[in-house]
Amino acid sequence: MNVLFKAGFVLLACTLSSVEIAAAQPANPGCSSENSLGATQTLHCRTGITIVAEDGARYTLRSNRNGRVDAVELSGKALLIEVAPKPGGNKFEVITPQAIAAVRGTKWAVDAAGDKTSVFVVNGSVRVGPRTGGNGVTLRPGEGVDVEPGAPLTVKRWAPPRVSALLARLGQ
C-alpha cells in the first residue's frame, strides 16, 4: 500500500509539473492569449503582432510608453512572430542573450538555446545583430543565421528539415 501511495504521489507530481511547464504566461493588457495546437501559446496583440510560443518558452513582453507591446525578451526555447505591415512601419524586436532581431512587418522564428540564438525568416525581412553590438545582417525569406558569442554572422539558406523541425515545435 505504501509503494502504491508513493507511486501515485510521483505520478501526481509529474502531472502537475508538466502542467506548470505548459501553462500559459499571462498576456500583456494589450494582448489576448489562447492555447494552440501542440501545447503552444498564441498571443494576439492589438498592434497587429501575433506571437506563438513553444511549450515551455521563457519570455517577457515589453511595452512602450503608450502601453503597446513593442518587444519581447526571449531567454529559452522558440517563438514565431508575425508583425502585420502598417503604414509608417510596425517596429518590433526580439531580444535574446546573444542577439537582437528587429522588423517592421514580417513573419519569423527565433530560437534561444544555451549560448546560441537562431533566427529564421518565413516571409519579409529581419535585421539581426549581436546584442553586444557590431555588424548585423539582413535575412530574407528562407534564410537564417546562428548568433553565437565571438562567431561571425553568416546568412544561410536553411535546409527544409531544419525549417520543418523548428516550425513543428511552434505548431506550424
Side-chain angles (χ1 to χ4, degrees):
M1 183 70 168
N2 194 18
V3 171
L4 184 59
F5 175 76
K6 286 180 182 177
F9 181 77
V10 169
L11 180 60
L12 177 63
C14 290
T15 302
L16 291 176
S17 69
S18 68
V19 168
E20 183 178 313
I21 290 171
Q25 290 190 200
N28 179 283
C31 303
S32 62
S33 175
E34 67 183 66
N35 289 330
S36 308
L37 184 65
T40 60
Q41 177 190 20
T42 302
L43 298 174
H44 299 282
C45 301
R46 288 189 303 239
T47 54
I49 296 166
T50 301
I51 301 168
V52 179
E54 177 183 13
D55 183 23
R58 294 181 311 277
Y59 63 95
T60 304
L61 298 176
R62 288 194 357 202
S63 301
N64 62 19
R65 284 178 273 158
N66 298 331
R68 295 178 179 250
V69 173
D70 66 350
V72 63
E73 289 194 38
L74 175 65
S75 60
K77 295 218 171 183
L79 300 176
L80 179 70
I81 299 98
E82 187 165 4
V83 179
K86 287 187 175 182
N90 194 4
K91 187 179 178 194
F92 189 80
E93 292 181 337
V94 177
I95 303 160
T96 72
Q98 297 80 27
I100 298 175
V103 300
R104 294 198 181 276
T106 193
K107 183 175 183 178
W108 83 103
V110 180
D111 184 15
D115 64 347
K116 178 172 84 172
T117 294
S118 300
V119 180
F120 174 76
V121 175
V122 176
N123 60 46
S125 64
V126 175
R127 183 79 180 153
V128 180
R131 186 158 180 183
T132 57
N135 294 330
V137 295
T138 300
L139 303 176
R140 303 215 178 329
E143 295 178 337
V145 66
D146 294 316
V147 183
E148 299 177 87
L153 299 182
T154 305
V155 175
K156 295 181 181 177
R157 181 152 299 280
W158 281 15
R162 184 175 184 189
V163 174
S164 295
L166 177 58
L167 295 181
R169 291 170 41 205
L170 295 159
Q172 304 292 303

